[in-house]
Amino acid sequence: MSDLLTERTEPRPTTRQETAAGVRHVSRFRTRSVRLTRGLVGIVLLALVWEFAPRIGLLDPHFVPPLSTVLESWWDLASSGRLATHLEASLIRSAAGFGLAVVTAIPIGAAIASYPPVRDVLTPVLEIFRNTAALAILPVFVLILGIGETSKVAIVLFACFFPILLNTISGVATVDVQLLRSARVLDLSPVTTFRKVILPAALPTIFTGIRISGAAAILVLIAAEMIGATEGLGYLINYSQMNFLIPQMYAAIITTSAVGLIVNYGLVAIERRFSRWRA
């Protein structure tokens, strides 16, 4: 922590001073390549530990099989088409709930943030729901909506809705007042002010909630599928564990982790695309 603090607070010359002194910067591509290489080294080390720890007796191979055994099981699932079936079911449910949360939470959050009295009234209620675990009210969704697809999409929607909503409220409510005054001086309409000023300024905070919800969409759905489902990655994990198909269970877990990583990096790429003005 002290090294990081020193690195970020160390005095540095300005860009003009560096140009005058002939300082050459390392390219962004090279910097990213170095970071990617370091990340791959960490993954390789984890893979080696997973492969050899069960083989040398540090871990019980019956409960933690070597990585090669898990990958063989993953290939069997993939080649047979079973993995694709379960993955498709989980992705459709997650995408539906997450998409509904995005298209509903952002407009509602922006509307609440635009009217402080309404925000003051609703914030305590929103905090109560935000701090209520989604899985704790899963039985309520099952009782009301049944055990079909609707209840699973609804629980994902619930888990994703409040992080996006609260971050939207926070982002819109904390937009720099000077920006709003400038928009008024330019005689911009409310719609144009929101589209050109408020939304771009609040976008980083909104995307924080979207990324949190992206992870929640996968995690909550997997847990819901473990409780009641006939297909999906959560069902596959639970089925494998109950039937002591341990390599298959880890293969499903690895697939879940890969989906989570892809979703997260995809959302980061989208955020950068819509926030290029910050560069």
Side-chain angles (χ1 to χ4, degrees):
M1 179 62 70
S2 59
D3 294 338
L4 180 61
L5 181 61
T6 301
E7 177 183 347
R8 291 188 174 181
T9 57
E10 183 180 0
R12 296 180 179 179
T14 64
T15 303
R16 182 177 299 179
Q17 291 171 335
E18 290 178 345
T19 302
V23 177
R24 298 179 60 185
H25 292 278
V26 178
S27 65
R28 285 187 177 182
F29 176 77
R30 182 176 179 182
T31 301
R32 291 178 180 177
S33 299
V34 171
R35 290 179 179 176
L36 178 61
T37 302
R38 292 173 179 172
L40 290 176
V41 169
I43 294 175
V44 169
L45 290 176
L46 174 61
L48 291 175
V49 171
W50 190 349
E51 176 66 28
F52 290 104
R55 295 187 181 280
I56 63 178
L58 293 178
L59 297 173
D60 189 337
H62 294 93
F63 300 111
V64 185
L67 179 60
S68 58
T69 304
V70 174
L71 293 179
E72 289 177 5
S73 179
W74 185 92
W75 179 253
D76 291 339
L77 284 171
S79 58
S80 65
R82 288 184 294 159
L83 183 63
T85 300
H86 292 293
L87 179 60
E88 180 183 4
S90 294
L91 289 180
I92 291 175
R93 294 163 181 163
S94 296
F98 177 74
L100 289 172
V102 171
V103 300
T104 56
I106 293 178
I108 294 175
I112 293 175
S114 301
Y115 299 97
V118 178
R119 182 173 68 246
D120 295 338
V121 172
L122 293 182
T123 295
V125 178
L126 296 175
E127 286 293 334
I128 291 174
F129 280 105
R130 183 179 72 88
N131 290 284
T132 301
L135 294 178
I137 62 172
L138 177 60
V140 178
F141 285 99
V142 173
L143 287 174
I144 297 175
L145 302 174
I147 60 174
E149 297 299 308
T150 305
S151 61
K152 296 177 180 60
V153 173
I155 197 67
V156 174
L157 170 61
F158 178 87
C160 297
F161 181 82
F162 291 100
I164 300 175
L165 178 72
L166 294 175
N167 277 273
T168 300
I169 294 173
S170 176
V172 173
T174 56
V175 172
D176 191 350
V177 177
Q178 296 299 328
L179 295 176
L180 300 178
R181 290 175 179 171
S182 300
R184 181 176 298 179
V185 169
L186 294 173
D187 196 25
L188 298 180
S189 66
V191 174
T192 303
T193 300
F194 179 80
R195 186 168 57 90
K196 294 290 188 179
V197 178
I198 297 177
L199 185 59
L203 201 59
T205 306
I206 295 174
F207 259 100
T208 299
I210 291 176
R211 289 178 62 187
I212 294 173
S213 296
I218 302 297
L219 298 176
V220 172
L221 177 65
I222 295 301
E225 289 177 339
M226 288 182 176
I227 297 174
T230 57
E231 59 181 1
L233 292 176
Y235 166 78
L236 180 61
I237 293 172
N238 190 53
Y239 172 84
S240 301
Q241 187 267 337
M242 295 294 293
N243 291 275
F244 211 71
L245 302 173
I246 304 302
Q248 180 175 290
M249 180 190 72
Y250 281 106
I253 293 174
I254 289 177
T255 304
T256 303
S257 300
V259 170
L261 286 174
I262 293 172
V263 170
N264 180 70
Y265 283 112
L267 292 175
V268 170
I270 294 174
E271 180 182 6
R272 289 176 178 172
R273 170 65 178 82
F274 285 101
S275 302
R276 288 185 299 179
W277 58 272
R278 299 174 59 197

